[in-house]
Amino acid sequence: MRPRPFVNWARNQRSWPRHRHAPASEVEIVDLVRAVRARGEHLRVVGAGHSWSAAPVTDQHLVTLDRHARVVRVDREARRVTVAAGMRLRDLTVALDREGLALENLGSISEQSVAGAIATGTHGTGLGHGVLATQVVALRLVTGTGEVRVLGEGDGDLLDAARVSLGALGVVSEVTLRVRDTFDLEERAWSLPFDDACRALPELAREHAQLKAWWLPHTGRVQLFAYAPTQAARHGTGPVRRALDAAVNRVAFTGVLGLGRAAPGLIPSLSRLVGKTYFHARRRVDRSDRLLNVAMPPRHLEMEYGLPLAATTEAWRATKRLIERERLRVNFVQEARFVAADACHLSPAYQRESCQLGAYMAPSADLERYFRGFEAIALGLDGRPHWGKIFHARAAELAPRYPRWDRFQALRRELDPDGVFVSEFLREVLG
Ligand SMILES: Cc1cc2nc3c(=O)[nH]c(=O)nc-3n(C[C@H](O)[C@H](O)[C@H](O)COP(=O)(O)OP(=O)(O)OC[C@H]3O[C@@H](n4cnc5c(N)ncnc54)[C@H](O)[C@@H]3O)c2cc1C
């Protein structure tokens, strides 16, 4: 019988793992790693399958930690939470809220597993915040020999490597995160003409604790969103508003994308219509996670590069020129977010404040040319790819962009001497 396929959320990755496993404890993970190693085979862990890249893909042993997914410990005094690594961010947020606690920052969605999100350098926005992995203060790692390594803040170098590791150093079985008291945010949205926004972005990113920008190609304006902690009364959200946002994404945007697929010539006009309808000034106040997360978008593909902050303006202008020169019909927003410098060896923001610039597109004829062109621009500006999104750069081109690359490789050899966690993807991108 043919094995059941693994398919990721975006449906652009598919594989047929020969074996599937769902360990429910660290002991079971250790036994599994040892058994796979003894057979000279390979193993990959999949979190929630929300990466566009082939990071979790394997045709050998695919492991899910869905049965190893719960809150292990909450330390209210120290503001720490420890979770079994398969736990979804969404469930963690709910559990923390019950304790009056919250994650410091979040990306656009919370469907990911905790270990999966940190492994690829998932981030939210705000120059005062690092990638989510920088909230990790300790973790337990089952190495390629089946040894359990307990890494805390005293293990600086090793912890920094294991925080953003693409699953190349071992199976993360438990994660301890720094958290804070629950807090509300005010979201302020406004728009600027494209050129003004482009020029002002690095400065605006410094002015606002958390800022993101969306540009819908073929329109002349950029929509900006700034988030700031507040004590003001909640307004502008609520369950009805959230249900409406979800419905708009599910029905209206999906319909618009379908129309554009059937008649690509309509894409620029459709984009202008969406821009006019959807991008307007507003203020909302709500619990932090509800504002930082957005309604689940229609299925699409994403490429994203981390760029030095100073390259933001040039990168966005060059992308606009690319779209105009090649007459690309781009049917989804471009997004700019900002991330603090960190010390994680493979983080896109390693030792530099970054603009994470994302090129998004629902499947369409111009997709390949758009992503290739965007990637060339990003690589030319010293970009580092988001490991969980689409990119074509390979190890030889990537290595010089990460000052701690060699150190990471040495740790990889030490922690996984027999290549238990190796996959085709890891061979290509890490060498
Ligand atoms: C709609 C959507 C919105 C998104 N929004 C954002 C965003 O706002 N910001 C952002 O930065 N990214 C975003 N992403 C990307 C996403 O956060 C990352 O790709 C993330 O890694 C996916 O987490 P996952 O749990 O699905 O992991 P998977 O995709 O299943 O796996 C990712 C990697 O983690 C490894 N891994 C998983 N569990 C373990 C473990 N226990 N031990 C060791 N390795 C492990 C896997 O082997 C793989 O290498 C988004 C993705 C989608 C689909």
Side-chain angles (χ1 to χ4, degrees), residues 191-246:
S191 77
L192 285 177
F194 181 87
D195 286 331
D196 296 353
C198 254
R199 204 174 320 112
L201 266 179
E203 207 177 301
L204 287 171
R206 282 205 192 288
E207 236 167 70
H208 297 275
Q210 293 185 272
L211 180 95
K212 73 178 183 193
W214 286 1
W215 174 53
L216 197 48
H218 317 296
T219 69
R221 295 186 79 81
V222 170
Q223 179 84 346
L224 296 145
F225 303 85
Y227 302 86
T230 182
Q231 311 273 359
R234 292 178 181 174
H235 66 89
T237 55
V240 175
R241 179 74 236 181
R242 285 199 294 277
L244 199 66
D245 280 352

Side-chain angles (χ1 to χ4, degrees), residues 74-80 101:
V74 178
D75 184 341
R76 274 208 53 89
E77 283 296 291
R79 307 280 191 283
R80 301 274 192 269
L101 297 169

Side-chain angles (χ1 to χ4, degrees), residues 5-15 20 48-49:
F6 159 76
V7 185
N8 65 342
W9 173 83
R11 299 189 186 149
N12 66 316
Q13 301 289 346
R14 191 175 296 261
S15 70
R20 283 177 177 259

Side-chain angles (χ1 to χ4, degrees), residues 45 47-52 108 112-113 116 120 122-123 172 337 386:
V45 188
H50 275 56
S51 292
W52 283 272
S108 308
Q112 309 94 319
S113 66
T120 60
T122 294
H123 59 87
V172 173
R337 286 178 285 181
H386 187 311

